[in-house]
Amino acid sequence: MHNHTMMRPRLFTTSFLIRAAVLASVLVASTTGCKRPKENADKTPKEATTTTPTPTTAAPTTPNGSAGAPAKPGASTKVGVVFDVGGLGDKSFNDAANRGMLKAKAELGVQTQIIEPGDGSDRESALRQRAAAGDNVVIGVGFIFSDDITKLAGQFPDTKFACIDYNLPQGVEKAPPNLVGLRFREQEGSFLVGAIAGRVTKTKKIGFVGGMKIPLIHKFEVGFEAGIKQVCPDCTMLSAYAGTEPKAFADPTKGKELALSQYARGVDIIYHASGKTGDGVFDAAKEQKKFAIGVDSDQFHVAPCCVLTSMIKKVDVAVFDTIKKVSENKFTSGVYEFGLAEDGVGFVYDENNKAFIPQAVIDEVNGLAKQIIAGTIKVPSE
């Protein structure tokens, strides 16, 4: 407006000037009156979003919701998760379960509580604590929970329970009606990373490091060896376990010792299925400038120099889906298995590791995956 009036000074009249002066004073008053709130607008919301989220925008997930923001579908669902040996930060199995829980919290608005127990009876008491607190679903992350969670399902019939890598306890024919067991065909994903190792190895010596020596981890081992032999019949595999107790999944020192021993014997790729013990395997790989293969989650970031690939076990998907079913009242008991056909296992091939693996190898391995799904390749599990 000012530029326009400056171009036409001769058209000004006394009355116009009076009106202009009044208008100018109003504008000055209004702009100066807005100035302080504008400074507050720059500062206050930043503080508000970091300290007290506004329910109507930043945090519409509260159980009661708020005006203009309906509660998310799972806002009234309480979830308790009890982690396995190694706990959070294992960059593997427990962290995968945690991702699934956090996704449910973000997308469904569920309320969550976690417990990281120690050894022995702590597991049972942790599960019991969450059930007694009134959680709608209590999840045990690991086969070790199988016996305790089956017993507690009987004692808390109104609580839903879920167990990753669930095994029916001896003498129990089927899971209780309020319990779901989530199992995986780890041998199928292990077969594929074994085939990758069999094609990439230069020494034709490949290693396996397991955590606790149990049938579950043996599935990883035999599937891996079968994949190696599928593409490299004259390759040999060295195998070692960190122990026979649950703490074998949380012993990086032992993992490094076992890996260094295998590398010293000519192995150039080691696949680990050992939880936090695998950190030691990656340390050894970095020291020796050799390859290692991650497990359960994409572990490339643990040792970018040396992680050839990772066998993915989609614990996060199983956890999220279970929580979602509970929140939608669609929970179904039973024992369910997830393999290649169900997209429950797989391997990593992306921008991070594609320089390590020729495309022809990936094409071949994808072909093997199709044969496994079709049933023309039977992967051993024991």
Side-chain angles (χ1 to χ4, degrees), residues 216-229:
L216 172 65
I217 304 303
H218 188 59
K219 286 165 67 179
F220 290 83
E221 179 188 2
V222 297
F224 183 61
E225 185 168 22
I228 294 169
K229 296 294 187 181

Side-chain angles (χ1 to χ4, degrees), residues 206-212 217 220-221 224 237-243 248-249 251-252 254-263 267 269-275 277-278 280-281 293 295:
I206 298 165
F208 174 82
V209 171
M212 184 179 175
I217 304 303
F220 290 83
E221 179 188 2
F224 183 61
M237 188 180 88
L238 304 181
S239 180
Y241 283 81
F249 289 114
D251 192 348
K254 184 68 171 178
K256 184 172 183 178
E257 174 191 317
L258 295 175
L260 286 174
S261 173
Q262 291 185 357
Y263 287 135
V267 164
I269 302 169
I270 295 175
Y271 175 40
H272 91 91
S274 60
T277 299
V281 175
I293 296 175
V295 74

Side-chain angles (χ1 to χ4, degrees), residues 19-33:
R19 287 198 303 273
V22 171
L23 178 61
S25 66
V26 170
L27 287 172
V28 169
S30 64
T31 53
T32 54

